[in-house]
Amino acid sequence: MGKVYERIDGRLRTFIEEQKIFFTATAPLAGDGTVNLSPKGLTGSFAVLDELTVAYLDFAGSNAETIAHLRENGRITLMWCAFTGPPNIVRVHGRGEPVFRDDPRFPGLLEHFPDIDVAEHGLRAIIVVTAELIRDTCGFAVPFMDYREDRTLHADRFRRENDDTLSAYFEKKEHVASSIDGLPGLPLPLPLPLPPRTA
């Protein structure tokens, strides 16, 4: 009914890379803190970096709970579900880190996402996750659902922003610079400009 994997490769990697949506879960250390669960799903915004490391692009939004929790304690779980084909659920439990625009690693990490226009989505960080436990479960109760297409609303909204107005947008939001529980979130003002791709 379930299996633990030593690495992300072979059929497991193929399954993860084929899914159109995945979920991230984080929490603060405080017992009464707010647990966060987020869907992620823009095509081209997720990458397997090696057998134990994955990354995804963190785009503009009205909060930064994942970033805040990772800055405090690093704990994160990623989950993929099979909505078509054989039933399966895969979870990667690990340690995550937000890599911000002014980090020297940022341009190199950005090269792992060649198929998405990061500027039109207001890219603010790359979340890098190192797996500590990789496992799957049956997924027998997950319904069949068909993918149709990505929504264009996010790009339609944020391609109107430049780096300066994007930073101003974040500064107006109550839970971007700090989390719901008051933990440090996205560092502001946003480092400018977005580093160019080397390719």
Side-chain angles (χ1 to χ4, degrees):
M1 293 292 287
K3 182 178 178 181
V4 173
Y5 298 84
E6 292 185 359
R7 61 187 61 87
I8 302 168
D9 61 2
R11 285 184 294 177
L12 181 67
R13 176 171 180 165
T14 299
F15 171 78
I16 287 173
E17 292 178 332
E18 287 179 346
Q19 303 315 304
K20 300 298 184 181
I21 186 172
F22 66 99
F23 301 87
T24 69
T26 59
L29 292 176
D32 60 351
T34 305
V35 176
N36 188 65
L37 178 64
S38 295
K40 307 293 179 183
L42 288 173
T43 299
S45 64
F46 174 83
V48 177
L49 305 187
D50 61 41
E51 293 179 339
L52 290 175
T53 314
V54 301
Y56 68 89
L57 302 176
D58 181 81
F59 292 120
S62 57
N63 61 59
E65 295 300 296
T66 300
I67 286 175
H69 296 162
L70 293 181
R71 290 183 71 187
E72 185 205 35
N73 61 68
R75 299 177 304 165
I76 188 169
T77 297
L78 309 181
M79 184 183 77
W80 296 261
C81 299
F83 294 110
T84 60
N88 195 18
I89 299 172
V90 172
R91 292 178 178 88
V92 170
H93 307 265
R95 311 294 294 182
E97 176 189 10
V99 177
F100 300 113
R101 291 170 162 213
D102 56 352
D103 189 299
R105 297 170 294 170
F106 193 95
L109 287 169
L110 197 56
E111 298 307 312
H112 291 278
F113 307 92
D115 299 325
I116 189 166
D117 186 342
V118 296
E120 73 177 5
H121 289 284
L123 179 62
R124 58 188 188 180
I126 300 172
I127 306 299
V128 179
V129 177
T130 302
E132 295 180 334
L133 173 64
I134 307 161
R135 63 190 182 96
D136 68 7
T137 51
C138 67
F140 289 171
V142 175
F144 285 110
M145 291 190 288
D146 294 327
Y147 169 79
R148 188 167 65 189
E149 62 185 4
D150 284 359
R151 296 179 190 265
T152 63
L153 293 172
H154 195 273
D156 293 344
R157 165 63 184 86
F158 287 103
R159 73 164 55 96
R160 301 190 305 247
E161 305 284 355
N162 59 43
D163 283 335
D164 292 309
T165 63
L166 185 63
S167 189
Y169 167 84
F170 292 144
E171 289 173 359
K172 292 178 187 175
K173 295 297 180 180
E174 182 180 3
H175 298 303
V176 170
S178 63
S179 74
I180 293 171
D181 301 309
L183 297 173
L186 183 69
L188 294 174
L190 195 67
L192 305 173
L194 188 66
R197 296 180 191 266
T198 58

